[in-house]
């Protein structure tokens, strides 16, 4: 049993490991608390087994809530922060940002997409070495990033808001669901090419 001391936890997530948890391959526990009364939001990462002190912390502004997404290898954490109001006036649905925190080093960065608008979706590759985000006003822009937070490939702009990976991480579906029309593009990530496009009718 492990107790983590962190005030006002509003989200937490437990990483996976390549094998049984040990000092070389610890489980990692990510926690988050939203901003309150002028104090910034904060995320922290704890190792298990490990000390009671976090190995990484990161503060955020304009972050009421967050989703914490571990890489399958447990060495990277994506923090998708959200607010109910977009102070820039760019969206009626609030504002979302994505940050990458490395758990095995002290590196972190803000994920930047070269299109105005909020983040729609973010998902790790099952291989754990890259991830995709969809962001921006429609037609939105999907971008593939590496573990340094560098953009390595930009997909075609389209009306998409959903990312789905195949189990082995070679194929990727970018879809437009919910209030969109159900169009889907299936990509071969190795070749960086669309294999086929389809439409899911309701």
């Amino acid at each position: 049993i492990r107790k983590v001391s962190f005030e006002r936890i509003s989200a937490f997530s437990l990483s996976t490991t390549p094998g049984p948890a040990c000092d070389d391959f610890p489980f990692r526990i990510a926690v988050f608390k939203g901003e309150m009364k002028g104090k910034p939001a904060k995320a922290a990462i704890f190792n298990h087994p490990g000390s009671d002190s976090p190995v990484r912390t990161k503060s955020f502004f304009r972050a009421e809530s967050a989703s914490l997404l571990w890489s399958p290898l447990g060495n990277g954490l994506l923090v998708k922060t959200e607010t109910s109001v977009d102070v820039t006036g760019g969206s009626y649905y609030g504002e979302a940002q994505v940050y990458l925190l490395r758990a095995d080093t002290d590196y972190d960065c803000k994920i930047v997409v070269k299109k105005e608008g909020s983040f729609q979706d973010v998902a790790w590759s099952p291989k754990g070495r890259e991830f995709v985000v969809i962001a921006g006003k429609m037609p939105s822009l999907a971008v593939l990033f590496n573990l340094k937070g560098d953009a390595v490939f930009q997909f075609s702009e389209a009306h998409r808001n959903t990312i789905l990976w195949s189990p082995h991480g070679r194929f990727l579906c970018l879809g437009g669901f919910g209030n969109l029309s159900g169009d889907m593009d299936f990509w071969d990530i190795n070749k960086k090419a669309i294999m086929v496009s389809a439409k899911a009718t309701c």
Side-chain angles (χ1 to χ4, degrees):
I1 297 175
R2 175 69 188 277
K3 181 180 179 180
V4 171
S5 179
F6 196 77
E7 293 183 353
R8 297 190 294 105
I9 293 176
S10 59
F12 74 94
S13 182
L14 180 66
S15 75
T16 58
T17 69
C22 61
D23 290 338
D24 292 333
F25 298 105
F27 284 116
R28 293 186 168 109
I29 305 163
V31 295
F32 174 86
K33 63 179 177 182
E35 60 185 354
M36 176 180 281
K37 297 180 179 179
K39 294 183 179 180
K42 182 179 285 188
I45 297 173
F46 297 82
N47 282 350
H48 177 73
S51 73
D52 292 334
S53 299
V55 295
R56 293 295 319 282
T57 60
K58 173 73 176 176
S59 295
F60 309 91
F61 292 94
R62 302 207 305 268
E64 298 171 0
S65 61
S67 301
L68 305 172
L69 307 170
W70 280 108
S71 76
L73 300 178
N75 57 355
L77 177 72
L78 292 173
V79 182
K80 182 185 178 186
T81 63
E82 297 181 287
T83 62
S84 56
V85 177
D86 184 352
V87 296
T88 67
S91 172
Y92 292 107
Y93 305 103
E95 181 183 6
Q97 300 292 338
V98 174
Y99 301 84
L100 170 65
L101 280 66
R102 289 294 298 268
D104 52 352
T105 70
D106 60 358
Y107 180 78
D108 64 72
C109 67
K110 182 178 181 179
I111 300 303
V112 178
V113 174
K114 295 180 179 179
K115 182 158 190 180
E116 182 182 353
S118 192
F119 284 81
Q120 311 288 335
D121 197 10
V122 55
W124 284 100
S125 163
K127 295 179 179 179
R129 296 188 293 270
E130 55 195 5
F131 59 92
V132 172
V133 303
I134 296 178
K137 296 179 180 178
M138 295 295 166
S140 58
L141 183 62
V143 183
L144 179 70
F145 290 86
N146 62 20
L147 269 174
K148 295 181 179 179
D150 299 323
V152 295
F153 182 73
Q154 182 173 297
F155 301 87
S156 307
E157 289 190 22
H159 288 75
R160 306 289 183 267
N161 59 7
T162 303
I163 302 164
L164 297 168
W165 287 92
S166 65
H168 46 67
R170 177 173 178 179
F171 305 123
L172 175 73
C173 174
L174 300 176
F177 305 115
N179 60 345
L180 300 179
S181 59
D183 292 305
M184 300 176 290
D185 296 323
F186 293 86
W187 288 79
D188 184 324
I189 294 299
N190 291 355
K191 297 180 179 179
K192 303 295 190 296
I194 292 180
M195 300 181 296
V196 68
S197 295
K199 190 180 187 72
T201 57
C202 297

